[in-house]
Each structure stands twice: as C-alpha cells, then as structure tokens.
Amino acid sequence: MRPRVRFAPSPTGYLHVGGARTALFNWLYARRHGGTFILRIEDTDMERSSTDMVTAIFDSMTWLGLNWDEGPRVGGPHGPYFQTERLDKYRAAAQALIASGHAYRCFCKPDDLKAERAAAEAAGQPWNYDRRCTTLAPDDVARRIAAGETHAVRFLVPAGTTAFDDLVHGRISFDNTNIEDFVIIRSDTYPTYHLSVVVDDVEMQITEVVRGDDHISNTPKQVLLYEAMGAPVPKFAHVPLILGPDKKRLSK
Ligand code: GLU
C-alpha cells in the first residue's frame, strides 16, 4: 500500500521551523514511496486560529517547495480539508461512539469540575473525573437532552494497557488507569482535538502519522478511539522537536 501521510497544523501562529521540519519529513516520505501528502488545517480552536495564519502557512510551505497532493486550494477526494468545515462528521462519530457504548454524555459543569480539580491539587492529590455521569438513568439523560441542557461527551476508557510500536521510539505502553475519560465533544458542541484528528485520519486513510514528540502522550487516547471505531490503527513516528538554545520549544 502506498503511504498516505499528512501535515495538520493549527493556524494559531506562523509556521515555525519545527513545524516545517515535521512537514518536510512527511513530504519526503510520501515522495520517496510514491505516496500522497495531505495538508489539513486544524482550526477548531476558533478563538486562537486566524485566516491570516492559514495564508501564512500556505505561503511558507509553498516557499519551501513542500507541495501537497490533497488539501486546501488543490482539493481531493476527502475534503473539505479545514476541520471547521467537517464538524458534522465529528458529531456523527461521537453519536456512534455513544450508541456503541464507548462514550457517554456528561452533564457536569466544567467550572464545578475545574474547582474540584483545583481543590484536589491544592491538597496534593491527583484528580481524575470519577465517571459519575455513567450512572445516570437513560430516561433522566433523555429528559435533560430534551430540555436542552448542555453537556459534554466523554470517552469511556476501558481497563487494561494501551500500547503502540512507534517507528522512532519503539514500543510505548500506557496503563489505562492513568487515562481519564477524556472529553470528545465539549459542552459548546465542538469536538476536541483527539476526536477530530482520529476521525480525519481514518477518513483520509492515513497510513503513517508523522508528528512531533509532544504528541506521544496523546497517542494512547487516539489508539483507543481507533479501536472503538473499529478502524485500523496507523503507524506512528514521533520525531524530536527543535528546541532553542534555552532547551525550550520554539514558539510559533
Ligand atoms: N494540529 C496539531 C498540532 O498542530 C497536529 C496534531 C497531529 O499531527 O496529530 O499540533
């Protein structure tokens, strides 16, 4: 199978050298193996994203010679390539996960949970969401939805271990007890990054996810989502970030 890889920047800043390098790895891999290089704009964080930054990313990639085979401006069979134009797909995926028992609606108020977390942390205790909304009676849930009560959707993390063979780092495994039932749809009805990235990588038939090391800790949640959706899990290659002389990440 020819590789299908993607570069998926969030347009919250200029393309920095670390992002350009991640794009370059993807581009080289696709070109070397006669594969497809896809550009996808992850703009669901509407407050921090801007169209000026989208244009700057296109211009920077074009200036670097990193041409894309599918994506904005060139189109392709899996468009649209802006996540804000794909919201119905994420919402449908969340509904399917609820229907299959892999996700549940959470009516807890974000501010209340934030206060609980802050209190636990102040007392030096770890805090994970305690799944209290899994015990709500179905007719109670139906009534609250009908009444228009805002709610999030959380993924129900199964017991066990989640592991993947990283093409750079080798085998990496995580104990699921350390993974909280993460939110996939926020109470404002927008998807979180974990859900949108997996829905898109499945639909765009991505074979290798090549991205920065900073995403290693996100990967077990995403592997769980692929498995729950019954989708093949792509290979992952996490490449090092480029750090400044102060050993800190370069900002965008
Ligand atoms: N939009 C994400 C970022 O800019 C990319 C995530 C990914 O490559 O999976 O960090």
Side-chain angles (χ1 to χ4, degrees):
M1 188 163 56
R2 290 178 190 272
R4 290 179 56 83
V5 292
R6 80 323 188 258
F7 179 54
S10 302
T12 54
Y14 290 104
L15 182 71
H16 62 80
V17 67
R21 181 164 169 268
T22 300
L24 175 64
F25 277 125
N26 279 283
W27 183 87
L28 284 170
Y29 191 73
R31 295 292 171 261
R32 168 72 180 81
H33 296 284
T36 304
F37 175 55
I38 296 152
L39 177 63
R40 182 174 74 227
I41 301 296
E42 303 209 323
D43 55 350
T44 53
D45 182 348
M46 311 261 268
E47 270 165 35
R48 293 174 58 228
S49 300
S50 81
T51 48
D52 285 354
M53 290 305 140
V54 171
T55 308
I57 290 168
F58 295 161
D59 291 349
S60 303
M61 289 187 58
T62 303
W63 181 78
L64 288 164
L66 301 175
N67 62 312
W68 54 98
D69 309 309
E70 290 178 24
R73 293 185 173 169
V74 300
H78 300 281
Y81 293 91
F82 285 86
Q83 288 193 325
T84 46
E85 294 172 21
R86 303 172 62 82
L87 296 172
D88 51 338
K89 295 182 194 292
Y90 314 134
R91 291 174 183 147
Q95 291 303 324
L97 288 169
I98 294 172
S100 63
H102 291 101
Y104 60 94
R105 296 175 204 274
C106 173
F107 294 88
C108 297
K109 299 284 164 264
D111 285 345
D112 294 347
L113 297 182
K114 216 183 272 174
E116 283 183 35
R117 185 185 298 270
E121 282 171 3
Q125 303 291 322
W127 190 88
N128 267 348
Y129 180 66
D130 62 4
R131 297 192 159 161
R132 73 197 76 153
C133 284
T134 56
T135 60
L136 296 175
D139 52 348
D140 187 22
V141 171
R143 187 186 48 75
R144 292 168 81 160
I145 295 170
E149 193 175 330
T150 58
H151 58 274
V153 179
R154 287 181 185 269
F155 185 76
L156 185 64
V157 174
T161 304
T162 304
F164 58 95
D165 293 305
D166 192 280
L167 295 171
V168 176
H169 295 264
R171 192 157 186 81
I172 304 183
S173 48
F174 293 82
D175 181 345
N176 292 4
T177 53
N178 296 325
I179 308 175
E180 184 176 45
D181 282 356
F182 52 96
V183 171
I184 55 175
I185 298 280
R186 288 192 294 255
S187 52
D188 63 5
T189 76
Y190 274 76
T192 59
Y193 155 68
H194 295 299
L195 181 66
S196 54
V197 83
V198 172
V199 168
D200 286 351
D201 285 344
V202 170
E203 210 223 283
M204 296 179 186
Q205 298 169 13
I206 299 302
T207 54
E208 280 93 0
V209 171
V210 182
R211 60 185 177 190
D213 265 357
D214 50 333
H215 288 294
I216 289 179
S217 60
N218 293 329
T219 308
K221 293 179 184 164
Q222 296 171 12
V223 169
L224 288 169
L225 280 170
Y226 285 103
E227 289 172 347
M229 290 176 189
V233 182
K235 296 196 176 99
F236 291 95
H238 286 98
V239 298
L241 300 178
I242 298 184
L243 305 179
D246 56 0
K247 304 262 188 284
K248 291 210 180 106
R249 285 175 63 171
L250 297 181
S251 63
K252 289 189 179 181

